Amino acid sequence: MVGETLQIGLAGLGTVGSGVYEALLRNRDLLEARAQISYQVRRIAVRDKTRKRGVEVDETLLTDDWRDLVDDDEIDIVIELIGGTTEAYQLVRAALEKGKPVVTGNKALLAEYGSTLFRLSREKGVPLYFEASCGGGIPIVQSLQHSLICNKVSAVVGIINGTSNYVLTAMDKEGLSLREALQQAQSLGYAEPDPLLDINGWDAAHKGLILAMLAYGAPLGSEAISVTGIEHIEPVDFSFARRLGYTIKLLVVIRYHERRNALELRVQPSFVPQQHLLSKVDGVFNAIAVCGDIVGETIFYGRGAGKNPTSSAVVGDVVLAMRECRLPGYHTGFLPYAEGVKALPVEATETSCYVRFRVKDCHGVIASIATIFSQHDIGIAATSSAEGEHDGTEGWNHLVFMLHVCCWGQLQEALGDIRKLPTVVGEPVVLRIESFQTS
Amino acid sequence: MVGETLQIGLAGLGTVGSGVYEALLRNRDLLEARAQISYQVRRIAVRDKTRKRGVEVDETLLTDDWRDLVDDDEIDIVIELIGGTTEAYQLVRAALEKGKPVVTGNKALLAEYGSTLFRLSREKGVPLYFEASCGGGIPIVQSLQHSLICNKVSAVVGIINGTSNYVLTAMDKEGLSLREALQQAQSLGYAEPDPLLDINGWDAAHKGLILAMLAYGAPLGSEAISVTGIEHIEPVDFSFARRLGYTIKLLVVIRYHERRNALELRVQPSFVPQQHLLSKVDGVFNAIAVCGDIVGETIFYGRGAGKNPTSSAVVGDVVLAMRECRLPGYHTGFLPYAEGVKALPVEATETSCYVRFRVKDCHGVIASIATIFSQHDIGIAATSSAEGEHDGTEGWNHLVFMLHVCCWGQLQEALGDIRKLPTVVGEPVVLRIESFQTS
């Protein structure tokens, strides 16, 4: 602190870092009036001091060693926006150990080291803020920590990856293939050059682990979450979905099973009923539904990524950090409170399902697939078929089964048997059909 | 305070009061673990101690004089849930003067005395919390005060009255008349026996004034808001809306005009584009869209009323109050920061509009109405007609004009002239067509 002015150390001046720097300068009057705090950005750590940037920065603030932020005794708060999990982990650890509150938006860091860092934060009595790690500008973290604090959360269901939601929306509304939709997203800057983690579900999974820690105090690692991406979705799945009254969304689903004290935790493309608000969340937008025993269903909607929305979340946390760091020993941040909670094995999770097979001939094959499902005690709600493309000399068809609620493990066993049928070609596409009870 | 245990004084044990009492008892373990605070309800003020209640309460806690809460030095926090604006005002005032933080859900109180009470709160350094006064369980107040704090808010647009939204949804989806829809709402307990303030827009207006104070620090009174209810909406308006790609919702609209430093503040039934998420908010649910210069558009959705959702908001505030009241001089609550902001006169507000006339004969009358609009420089985007009911011996028609953006004042002048036409019967129904720019 210099006089009454709080000193901020900013690590990282990439997209979000420069957005945060701009927001802190641009709306300074507003922030100082609202929060009744004066502040200054004292030091900015960057990888390469000579690099050209989109934002104008006083060169004398720059350092290429993040340790300068930690070692400067005048710095009150550290903002970590360097990304990655190696240096970021060292930085956050060192700052907490030095008693400096940290604001981070690094979901990979928290998914990997969250429980270690939160334990350290608790031991040291130094808060770690992370609103920006989940859902961009959507205030889901502060809402779960504060406004909804009296609720037992029964479920959190969300669309929390903007890139994959953009791709699914473009496939649905414009009839594009996954590859075309992804190219469109990249050309508009909505997808990174390497969108692997967006498409394979792991970006959403990292955020899901953070939401699970937040809502249940469950320090679960990546082994606890079952993840399927959108790679295998085809345009024909959207036609089936539409006809059946659904929309396809990549969902993170976190559901607490009180009887077993276990958490169902999964990411996968799912059928969402067209009447449910989540089915209307299009493009790069995110939305997170939280069901609490007292509040019922609430939904938070907004831009889940991008420079500005993420900056809004970071600066919200910075203000909280500034307010709280004037009060030693006081912080409202994260505290795990249910360390005993386990992950429910994915095999034991239950939903209805949509299963699409490629089959060479529909007639005999419906009966033979239905027989196998029945042998495995899985009820069929409906079947439907559509003509597939011609595959060399032979044609084939899409054959869809809508299944009643069954265990995921049970379904996998049935699919194992069905795969052996000579008329079934390749891997089936399986989508969960999510049910939403509003309490 | 008794030992380390915070003492709560609860005023009011009606629907919300008993919900809060139950929530504080039922999820006590969770709350104490999450907030790391122990608490006790020490005294409950009720109007009539002998009355039967839906909740079991230790009789010795009851008093029929709210002054007992204020005068008890051990009581740390007062929860005001007695409703009305006379005794509630005295109670909140007295508690703040005694240095006791207050949690209230009383929108009428804040709409009427908000600026006085917030000034007192600031002078005394004693916080006043009011999450439950707006949007029930939706954490809009804390989100605006904390998570979104760095944003200049350009607009807040919301559906914040559950009863009227239930009525509009039933008229739209089930083709009911307003009277039938209201009876349905009453028989399901979604509307009070006297739903006047829900239907005429004033309940939404009270909440709108609170949102305006919150987002802009504008201590505006009821004279600052222009209010139209849903009384004159008829089933035929829904058919027109649907055909034109809209849904009818009772909206509160708060829009900041930076150039004039003025706030547009109004409640009226409006056309919402069917692609916008607010058009999908049905039944008793509420939703509030907030546009910030940094975060872009965010939407908060949930149950806007009822015992439990409102209790969730009250208890969230109580926890914040408990945390903050251990730190004298510290609070993150409301502080007006733009006292200079004025209300924009409704005549100067601009939107497109839908206007429906009852006319005796369509042929000549389209030309004569169009001529008057043109004389007043108001552009017509489209006209449409539908047959009305037979009115005694003569039939008449509905004639709709979709108008380009114009000033409300200009429109009123044109309508004054149109009313004089002999073929126009009764009052026209005017609905605003809201535009939503996502930034």
Side-chain angles (χ1 to χ4, degrees):
Chain A
M1 189 125 55
V2 177
E4 282 292 295
T5 303
L6 278 153
Q7 304 292 316
I8 296 171
L10 173 61
L13 205 56
T15 307
V16 179
S18 43
V20 167
Y21 184 73
E22 281 169 1
L24 285 170
L25 295 197
R26 174 147 63 110
N27 286 357
R28 175 192 288 279
D29 291 350
L30 190 80
L31 272 170
E32 295 198 338
R34 287 181 181 176
Q36 307 241 293
I37 283 170
S38 83
Y39 61 82
Q40 191 184 337
V41 177
R42 185 179 172 85
R43 212 73 204 273
I44 303 174
V46 293
R47 210 148 282 158
D48 175 4
K49 282 167 65 176
T50 60
R51 204 179 127 198
K52 276 241 172 249
R53 299 167 202 290
V55 59
E56 242 181 77
V57 181
D58 176 357
E59 296 281 322
T60 63
L61 300 183
L62 297 181
T63 166
D64 53 13
D65 187 354
W66 57 259
R67 284 172 195 82
D68 289 344
L69 307 185
V70 176
D71 293 339
D72 183 341
D73 288 339
E74 299 290 353
I75 285 183
D76 301 291
I77 291 160
V78 171
I79 308 176
E80 183 280 302
L81 298 169
I82 56 180
T85 58
T86 311
E87 276 198 295
Y89 176 66
Q90 292 167 358
L91 164 60
V92 173
R93 215 189 149 83
L96 291 175
E97 272 167 355
K98 279 266 194 166
K100 296 186 200 301
V102 175
V103 175
T104 181
N106 190 329
K107 53 193 170 279
L109 176 69
L110 294 182
E112 196 167 339
Y113 296 109
S115 47
T116 313
L117 291 173
F118 288 119
R119 200 178 309 117
L120 180 65
S121 153
R122 206 162 60 248
E123 280 166 18
K124 298 279 170 189
V126 180
L128 174 57
Y129 304 90
F130 55 102
E131 180 70 76
S133 65
C134 238
I138 301 173
I140 184 69
V141 174
Q142 289 198 19
S143 292
L144 277 169
Q145 284 186 316
H146 300 136
S147 315
L148 303 179
I149 193 168
C150 77
N151 287 273
K152 273 187 195 147
V153 176
S154 58
V156 179
V157 179
I159 296 168
I160 51 177
N161 178 272
T163 304
S164 59
N165 201 47
Y166 184 90
V167 167
L168 292 177
T169 305
M171 291 178 76
D172 188 12
K173 304 261 155 106
E174 300 171 42
L176 303 185
S177 71
L178 189 124
R179 176 194 292 266
E180 291 162 342
L182 191 52
Q183 277 166 352
Q184 191 178 85
Q186 284 171 323
S187 72
L188 292 168
Y190 293 150
E192 318 217 2
D194 178 7
L196 181 68
L197 297 183
D198 298 311
I199 299 305
N200 73 11
W202 274 99
D203 174 82
H206 286 155
K207 296 170 184 166
L209 288 167
I210 295 169
L211 289 174
M213 279 200 279
L214 193 60
Y216 301 97
L220 303 168
S222 354
E223 71 292 344
I225 189 164
S226 157
V227 182
T228 310
I230 62 169
E231 303 93 330
H232 302 297
I233 308 290
E234 293 182 46
V236 66
D237 295 311
F238 290 95
S239 343
F240 278 116
R242 213 172 300 126
R243 213 188 308 154
L244 296 160
Y246 296 93
T247 306
I248 299 174
K249 295 290 175 193
L250 181 70
L251 295 185
V252 58
V253 175
I254 309 171
R255 213 179 284 278
Y256 182 60
H257 295 262
E258 191 155 13
R259 216 166 31 83
R260 311 197 198 199
N261 189 26
L263 218 49
E264 176 174 351
L265 192 47
R266 53 190 171 81
V267 170
Q268 74 291 304
S270 307
F271 272 26
V272 179
Q274 278 165 12
Q275 311 89 278
H276 196 275
L277 224 53
L278 285 184
S279 75
K280 310 295 181 193
V281 174
D282 287 335
V284 294
F285 278 85
N286 283 197
I288 302 163
V290 176
C291 276
D293 64 337
I294 299 182
V295 76
E297 185 178 47
T298 58
I299 298 178
F300 300 80
Y301 167 92
R303 290 184 177 269
K307 175 178 170 177
N308 285 333
T310 311
S311 302
S312 169
V314 170
V315 177
D317 271 353
V318 169
V319 172
L320 195 56
M322 292 198 292
R323 284 169 155 170
E324 296 191 346
C325 82
R326 296 197 295 186
L327 304 157
Y330 173 77
H331 81 89
T332 55
F334 175 85
L335 291 165
Y337 37 79
E339 302 221 9
V341 69
K342 296 179 309 286
L344 188 71
V346 66
E347 293 73 27
T349 62
E350 297 183 349
T351 52
S352 323
C353 283
Y354 158 100
V355 187
R356 174 171 58 83
F357 300 97
R358 293 184 171 208
V359 297
K360 284 200 190 125
D361 176 6
C362 270
H363 284 293
V365 85
I366 293 189
S368 49
I369 292 177
T371 306
I372 296 177
F373 278 133
S374 148
Q375 285 162 352
H376 287 269
D377 263 343
I378 297 175
I380 297 166
T383 72
S384 182
S385 65
E387 222 172 288
E389 301 132 49
H390 270 264
D391 190 4
T393 52
E394 235 177 334
W396 50 267
N397 292 294
H398 299 289
L399 181 57
V400 162
F401 284 78
M402 299 290 280
L403 305 177
H404 288 304
V405 172
C406 65
C407 268
W408 189 251
Q410 197 181 349
L411 176 62
Q412 296 313 311
E413 284 175 21
L415 293 179
D417 289 354
I418 293 169
R419 268 188 207 96
K420 294 176 196 151
L421 293 175
T423 43
V424 171
V425 186
E427 280 298 296
V429 170
V430 183
L431 297 170
R432 304 263 199 166
I433 303 172
E434 298 298 339
S435 69
F436 293 85
Q437 305 99 344
T438 51
S439 50
Chain B
M1 189 126 54
V2 176
E4 281 294 293
T5 303
L6 279 154
Q7 304 292 315
I8 295 170
L10 172 62
L13 205 55
T15 307
V16 179
S18 42
V20 167
Y21 184 74
E22 281 169 1
L24 285 170
L25 296 196
R26 174 148 63 111
N27 286 357
R28 173 192 290 278
D29 291 351
L30 190 79
L31 271 171
E32 294 197 338
R34 288 181 181 175
Q36 308 242 291
I37 283 171
S38 82
Y39 61 82
Q40 192 183 337
V41 176
R42 185 179 172 84
R43 211 74 204 274
I44 303 174
V46 293
R47 211 147 282 158
D48 175 4
K49 282 168 65 176
T50 61
R51 204 180 126 198
K52 276 242 171 249
R53 299 169 203 289
V55 58
E56 243 182 78
V57 181
D58 177 355
E59 296 281 321
T60 62
L61 300 182
L62 297 182
T63 166
D64 54 13
D65 187 355
W66 57 259
R67 284 172 195 83
D68 289 345
L69 309 184
V70 176
D71 292 338
D72 183 341
D73 288 339
E74 299 289 353
I75 285 184
D76 302 290
I77 291 159
V78 171
I79 308 176
E80 182 281 302
L81 297 169
I82 56 178
T85 58
T86 310
E87 275 198 296
Y89 176 65
Q90 293 167 357
L91 164 61
V92 172
R93 216 188 147 83
L96 291 174
E97 272 167 357
K98 280 265 195 165
K100 295 184 198 303
V102 175
V103 175
T104 181
N106 190 330
K107 55 194 169 278
L109 175 69
L110 295 182
E112 195 167 340
Y113 295 109
S115 47
T116 313
L117 291 172
F118 288 120
R119 199 178 310 119
L120 181 65
S121 153
R122 203 161 62 249
E123 281 166 17
K124 297 279 170 189
V126 180
L128 173 58
Y129 304 90
F130 55 101
E131 181 70 74
S133 66
C134 239
I138 301 173
I140 184 67
V141 175
Q142 290 197 18
S143 292
L144 277 168
Q145 283 185 317
H146 300 135
S147 315
L148 303 179
I149 192 168
C150 76
N151 287 274
K152 273 186 195 147
V153 176
S154 58
V156 179
V157 178
I159 296 167
I160 50 177
N161 179 272
T163 304
S164 59
N165 201 48
Y166 183 90
V167 166
L168 291 177
T169 305
M171 290 177 77
D172 188 13
K173 304 262 153 105
E174 300 170 42
L176 304 184
S177 71
L178 189 124
R179 177 195 291 265
E180 290 162 342
L182 191 53
Q183 277 166 354
Q184 192 178 83
Q186 284 171 323
S187 72
L188 292 167
Y190 294 150
E192 318 219 0
D194 178 7
L196 181 68
L197 296 183
D198 298 311
I199 299 305
N200 73 12
W202 273 99
D203 174 83
H206 285 154
K207 296 170 184 165
L209 288 167
I210 295 169
L211 289 173
M213 279 199 279
L214 194 60
Y216 301 97
L220 304 168
S222 355
E223 70 293 345
I225 189 164
S226 157
V227 182
T228 310
I230 62 170
E231 303 93 329
H232 303 297
I233 309 289
E234 293 182 46
V236 67
D237 295 311
F238 290 95
S239 342
F240 278 116
R242 213 173 299 126
R243 214 190 306 156
L244 296 160
Y246 296 92
T247 306
I248 299 173
K249 295 290 176 192
L250 180 70
L251 295 184
V252 59
V253 175
I254 308 171
R255 213 178 284 278
Y256 182 59
H257 296 262
E258 191 154 15
R259 214 165 33 81
R260 312 195 199 199
N261 189 28
L263 218 48
E264 176 174 349
L265 193 47
R266 52 190 169 83
V267 169
Q268 74 291 304
S270 306
F271 272 27
V272 179
Q274 278 165 12
Q275 312 90 279
H276 196 273
L277 224 54
L278 285 185
S279 76
K280 310 294 180 192
V281 174
D282 288 335
V284 293
F285 278 85
N286 282 197
I288 302 163
V290 177
C291 276
D293 64 337
I294 299 182
V295 76
E297 185 178 48
T298 57
I299 299 178
F300 301 80
Y301 167 92
R303 291 183 177 269
K307 175 178 169 176
N308 285 333
T310 311
S311 301
S312 170
V314 170
V315 178
D317 271 353
V318 170
V319 172
L320 194 58
M322 291 197 293
R323 284 169 155 168
E324 296 190 348
C325 83
R326 295 196 296 187
L327 305 157
Y330 174 76
H331 81 89
T332 54
F334 175 85
L335 291 166
Y337 38 79
E339 302 222 9
V341 70
K342 295 178 310 288
L344 188 71
V346 66
E347 293 72 28
T349 62
E350 296 183 350
T351 52
S352 322
C353 283
Y354 157 100
V355 186
R356 175 171 58 83
F357 300 96
R358 294 185 171 207
V359 297
K360 283 198 190 127
D361 176 6
C362 271
H363 284 293
V365 85
I366 294 190
S368 49
I369 292 177
T371 305
I372 295 177
F373 278 133
S374 149
Q375 284 162 354
H376 287 269
D377 263 343
I378 297 174
I380 297 167
T383 71
S384 181
S385 65
E387 223 173 287
E389 301 133 49
H390 270 265
D391 190 6
T393 53
E394 236 177 332
W396 48 268
N397 292 295
H398 299 288
L399 182 57
V400 162
F401 285 79
M402 300 291 280
L403 304 177
H404 288 304
V405 172
C406 65
C407 269
W408 190 251
Q410 199 181 348
L411 176 63
Q412 296 313 311
E413 284 174 21
L415 293 180
D417 289 354
I418 292 169
R419 269 188 206 98
K420 294 176 196 151
L421 294 174
T423 44
V424 171
V425 186
E427 280 298 296
V429 170
V430 183
L431 298 171
R432 304 262 198 167
I433 303 172
E434 298 299 339
S435 70
F436 293 85
Q437 305 100 344
T438 52
S439 51

